[in-house]
Amino acid sequence: MSTLINRQLLLKTRPDARVGREHFSLVETPVPELAPGEIVVRVLYLSMDPTNRVWMSDIPQYLPPVAIGEVMRALGIGRVVASRSPDFAEGDLVQGLVGWQDYMVATAEQAAQFLTLPASPGLPLPTLLGACGMSGLTAYYGLTEIAPVQPGETLVVSAAAGSVGSIAGQIGKIHGARVVGIAGGADKCRYLTETLGFDAAVDYKADDFKQQLKAATPDGVHVNFENVGGDVMRAVLSRMVIGGRVALCGVIANYNNTRPTDDVSVLISKRLTMRGFLILDYRKSREAVEQLGAWLLAGKLKAEETVADGLENAPEVLNRLFDGSHRGKLVLRVDPQA
Amino acid sequence: MSTLINRQLLLKTRPDARVGREHFSLVETPVPELAPGEIVVRVLYLSMDPTNRVWMSDIPQYLPPVAIGEVMRALGIGRVVASRSPDFAEGDLVQGLVGWQDYMVATAEQAAQFLTLPASPGLPLPTLLGACGMSGLTAYYGLTEIAPVQPGETLVVSAAAGSVGSIAGQIGKIHGARVVGIAGGADKCRYLTETLGFDAAVDYKADDFKQQLKAATPDGVHVNFENVGGDVMRAVLSRMVIGGRVALCGVIANYNNTRPTDDVSVLISKRLTMRGFLILDYRKSREAVEQLGAWLLAGKLKAEETVADGLENAPEVLNRLFDGSHRGKLVLRVDPQA
């Protein structure tokens, strides 16, 4: 064990806007001898999420920001390669906050937070981080607990070709809603309607975005599953019916922006309910994971992942969430053999 | 009748920021002969409300904006001085959208929207526009239907010395909550704690506003009855507990501002529910009016009004809502004999 070399990305400075390699130090340290209760996890895949960007900023948030000099926090899947814990054996597949590094040396307390996955999960590992993981759970709870959508209602999903949005839209269809997705570019829009079965797709990069959105929502919008915020959200809210509901999942337009320009006035004029939520509050649920898995295996839900490679590329890969150059769940393969 | 001269304030140009006399034409026209079904109402008092400012702007809103050349729309109380309607008699006291004018000539359709008040209402007319009118109803429904507050919870009310806020805070006390008011200046803050019985008051104009707010909410904030928006709301939201609720009643900080800078991110990190509402949806309720009246007569609720004079002063008087130089309900006395 002592010969393993661990590459780690430590937060060096806090980005103001886009993330770059210059905000991190790449260090190499030998994996230390384990204390009782500790395990070593070989990181296989990292989940690339907008929340990673939030964790880099020293602003109030639901977890403490990553401290300067700390390993960048991130969710991922790994395999136990050494264990001094009675709860984990070599070879176990685990999911948890493994961080931007090749190996995580987890204390007993950290390991207790891991979710042990079945040895043969039946789905590809990136899907377990995506449609059948946090992304899928987020979509599922957003449309059941936070802003349930009813048959015949119009649901608008932003960042609809992304990991959460693509599942949210498909769940909306399963629930019998008319589903309109917002995405960037003709290719993604076609993907939404032709591959995922959305009723309509609107290109937020198009000059006539607002006209397209209006045409796609002739009865107004009953439920907005919102991932973007900013100008995209402003346009959707302007189309909402009186008494409409917003499941506020993310506002990626604000995360790289020190002075957001949301305007909550429309919540009053349209008597809207906007409810923010975090999947943290729901992640223990078996029922939802089983439902998502069943839909996936039955072909009712289509999952897609964009897989990038190389731990050292993590900062640039994360930016793809904000420039939209990915589709479905964005994951980073850390172990080339994975 | 034909000798009555009606002074009217017609919207001339749309203000970008503060309202001024220059945005209106003051015209004098004789009150015309009535057609069948019409009535003439002598306007006694006008209610000065933030929504008046919204109605001047050509933006999406819950009623059409006032058109250029139209009488400025406003709620008020008046007395019927001539009637060709079977539903109204000379001397009747009515409440409705009478507008910025001395006399309203109401068509049968407009008159049907009026609320007829008892001949001896038992409360001063300004109170009927305030604590026992739209303002009181707004506070009442905000804390019962929109964001009910429970005994022992902390309620923060902004613009707490204003017409809605002062009633909301007192209703919070009746419901058993710890009530913290936000107002501008030491006098208003003292008024909240010493006269209205709030548990604490915080001065948003003070340099240490955020520290004051923190000290006044040691257990966090469970419910925010929000009237202001902007930086004041930002500070309150940062103090909310996980799962807190916001009754979004008004965002006066945004109404004179073409580029609001709200940030809804905090709704996610704190899993907040923000619900906008308009008293329009509730105004038919007898139950609430009776409850408010009973509290007022029993001395459980204290009402205060700031009365300004002179129809011609309406634009400047309206600004007092935004600079905070009033307390309680702001009304304009149009008839010097009222």
Side-chain angles (χ1 to χ4, degrees):
Chain A
M1 278 301 301
S2 58
T3 59
L4 286 178
I5 295 297
N6 189 18
R7 291 181 308 154
Q8 303 179 300
L9 282 164
L10 313 182
L11 186 63
K12 186 161 73 179
T13 55
R14 299 192 184 283
D16 284 331
R18 283 174 72 87
V19 179
R21 209 173 276 230
E22 67 277 18
H23 300 112
F24 294 87
S25 313
L26 180 63
V27 300
E28 302 197 356
T29 49
V31 172
E33 291 293 323
L34 294 187
E38 290 185 341
I39 61 173
V40 180
V41 175
R42 172 57 170 137
V43 178
L44 305 177
Y45 287 96
L46 288 169
S47 179
M48 296 274 114
D49 300 307
T51 193
N52 294 135
R53 177 64 187 82
V54 179
W55 289 338
M56 295 174 195
S57 295
D58 188 15
I59 54 173
Q61 48 186 292
Y62 65 96
L63 285 179
V66 174
I68 298 296
E70 248 180 20
V71 176
M72 180 58 207
R73 186 192 298 139
L75 186 74
I77 286 179
R79 195 174 293 281
V80 177
V81 292
S83 172
R84 290 194 64 188
S85 161
D87 302 323
F88 295 90
E90 248 180 76
D92 278 358
L93 211 52
V94 295
Q95 178 175 315
L97 291 172
V98 294
W100 285 6
Q101 53 190 341
D102 281 327
Y103 294 94
M104 181 187 189
V105 179
T107 64
E109 199 185 351
Q110 290 169 327
Q113 298 297 316
F114 286 148
L115 189 70
T116 303
L117 301 173
S120 302
L123 290 165
L125 298 185
T127 307
L128 292 182
L129 282 175
C132 206
M134 293 294 176
S135 302
L137 287 169
T138 302
Y140 183 90
Y141 283 109
L143 291 177
T144 49
E145 301 273 326
I146 305 299
V149 65
Q150 308 297 329
E153 289 188 329
T154 296
L155 165 69
V156 170
V157 179
S158 58
S163 66
V164 175
S166 61
I167 306 299
Q170 293 179 80
I171 293 177
K173 287 303 297 174
I174 291 171
H175 287 181
R178 171 179 168 78
V179 176
V180 178
I182 299 176
D187 281 354
K188 283 187 182 174
C189 286
R190 230 179 351 258
Y191 168 69
L192 295 180
T193 53
E194 294 180 5
T195 305
L196 300 186
F198 284 39
D199 296 286
V202 174
D203 181 357
Y204 74 85
K205 293 180 177 172
D207 289 340
D208 63 343
F209 163 54
K210 288 182 189 175
Q211 286 71 35
Q212 280 191 31
L213 181 64
K214 191 173 177 184
T217 57
D219 301 327
V221 178
H222 301 84
V223 174
N224 171 28
F225 191 106
E226 185 56 44
N227 294 308
V228 172
D231 290 339
V232 168
M233 181 171 80
R234 192 183 290 262
V236 177
L237 295 184
S238 79
R239 290 295 304 152
M240 293 204 68
V241 301
I242 301 288
R245 293 147 276 149
V246 181
L248 190 67
C249 175
V251 284
I252 56 173
N254 292 3
Y255 300 161
N256 283 327
N257 185 350
T258 51
R259 201 65 182 149
T261 56
D262 299 325
D263 181 1
V264 298
S265 309
V266 65
L267 271 63
I268 302 175
S269 57
K270 301 230 169 153
R271 294 80 126 183
L272 306 181
T273 300
M274 180 178 277
R275 204 169 152 199
F277 69 110
L278 280 176
I279 197 56
L280 275 186
D281 299 332
Y282 298 100
R283 66 178 165 183
K284 304 256 170 193
S285 163
R286 276 280 133 209
E287 176 205 327
V289 174
E290 283 166 12
Q291 177 66 84
L292 289 162
W295 282 333
L296 281 162
L297 293 172
K300 288 192 177 178
L301 208 55
K302 291 192 177 69
E304 178 159 341
E305 295 91 23
T306 298
V307 180
D309 276 291
L311 176 68
E312 65 283 5
N313 300 321
E316 290 91 340
V317 173
L318 189 73
N319 280 327
R320 298 182 63 175
L321 292 170
F322 302 100
D323 64 23
S325 68
H326 75 295
R327 220 161 72 179
K329 180 69 189 177
L330 181 64
V331 300
L332 185 68
R333 180 161 38 200
V334 176
D335 180 353
Q337 268 79 53
Chain B
M1 277 303 300
S2 58
T3 60
L4 285 178
I5 296 297
N6 189 17
R7 292 180 308 155
Q8 301 180 302
L9 282 165
L10 314 182
L11 186 63
K12 189 163 69 180
T13 55
R14 300 193 185 279
D16 283 329
R18 283 174 70 89
V19 180
R21 208 173 278 227
E22 68 275 18
H23 300 112
F24 294 87
S25 313
L26 181 63
V27 300
E28 301 199 356
T29 48
V31 171
E33 292 293 325
L34 294 187
E38 291 186 339
I39 63 174
V40 180
V41 175
R42 171 59 170 133
V43 179
L44 304 177
Y45 287 95
L46 288 170
S47 180
M48 297 273 113
D49 300 307
T51 193
N52 295 136
R53 176 65 187 83
V54 179
W55 290 339
M56 294 174 195
S57 295
D58 188 15
I59 54 174
Q61 48 186 291
Y62 65 96
L63 286 178
V66 174
I68 298 296
E70 246 180 20
V71 177
M72 179 59 207
R73 187 192 297 140
L75 186 74
I77 286 178
R79 196 173 293 283
V80 176
V81 293
S83 172
R84 290 193 67 188
S85 160
D87 302 323
F88 294 90
E90 246 180 76
D92 280 357
L93 211 51
V94 295
Q95 180 176 314
L97 290 172
V98 294
W100 284 8
Q101 54 189 343
D102 281 327
Y103 295 95
M104 180 186 188
V105 180
T107 63
E109 200 185 353
Q110 290 169 324
Q113 298 297 316
F114 286 148
L115 189 71
T116 305
L117 301 172
S120 303
L123 290 164
L125 298 186
T127 307
L128 294 182
L129 283 175
C132 207
M134 292 296 174
S135 303
L137 288 170
T138 302
Y140 183 90
Y141 284 108
L143 292 177
T144 49
E145 303 274 325
I146 305 299
V149 65
Q150 307 298 328
E153 289 188 329
T154 296
L155 166 70
V156 170
V157 180
S158 58
S163 66
V164 175
S166 60
I167 306 299
Q170 293 179 82
I171 293 176
K173 287 303 296 175
I174 291 172
H175 286 182
R178 170 179 169 77
V179 176
V180 178
I182 299 176
D187 280 356
K188 283 187 182 173
C189 286
R190 233 181 345 262
Y191 167 71
L192 295 180
T193 52
E194 294 180 4
T195 305
L196 300 186
F198 283 39
D199 295 286
V202 174
D203 181 357
Y204 74 85
K205 293 180 176 171
D207 290 339
D208 64 343
F209 162 55
K210 288 182 189 175
Q211 287 72 34
Q212 280 190 32
L213 180 64
K214 190 173 178 185
T217 56
D219 302 327
V221 178
H222 301 83
V223 175
N224 172 28
F225 190 106
E226 185 56 45
N227 294 307
V228 172
D231 291 340
V232 168
M233 181 171 79
R234 191 184 291 262
V236 177
L237 296 185
S238 79
R239 291 294 304 151
M240 295 207 63
V241 301
I242 302 288
R245 293 146 275 151
V246 181
L248 190 67
C249 175
V251 284
I252 57 174
N254 292 5
Y255 299 160
N256 283 327
N257 186 350
T258 49
R259 200 65 181 148
T261 57
D262 299 324
D263 180 1
V264 298
S265 308
V266 65
L267 271 64
I268 301 175
S269 57
K270 301 229 170 159
R271 295 80 127 182
L272 306 180
T273 300
M274 181 179 276
R275 203 170 151 197
F277 69 110
L278 279 176
I279 197 57
L280 276 186
D281 298 332
Y282 297 102
R283 65 179 167 184
K284 304 255 169 195
S285 162
R286 276 280 133 210
E287 176 206 327
V289 173
E290 282 167 13
Q291 178 65 85
L292 289 163
W295 282 335
L296 282 162
L297 294 171
K300 288 193 179 177
L301 208 56
K302 292 192 177 70
E304 179 159 341
E305 296 92 22
T306 297
V307 180
D309 277 290
L311 176 69
E312 65 283 6
N313 300 321
E316 291 92 338
V317 173
L318 188 72
N319 280 327
R320 297 182 63 176
L321 292 171
F322 302 99
D323 64 24
S325 67
H326 75 294
R327 221 159 74 177
K329 180 69 190 179
L330 181 63
V331 300
L332 186 69
R333 181 160 39 203
V334 175
D335 179 354
Q337 267 79 54

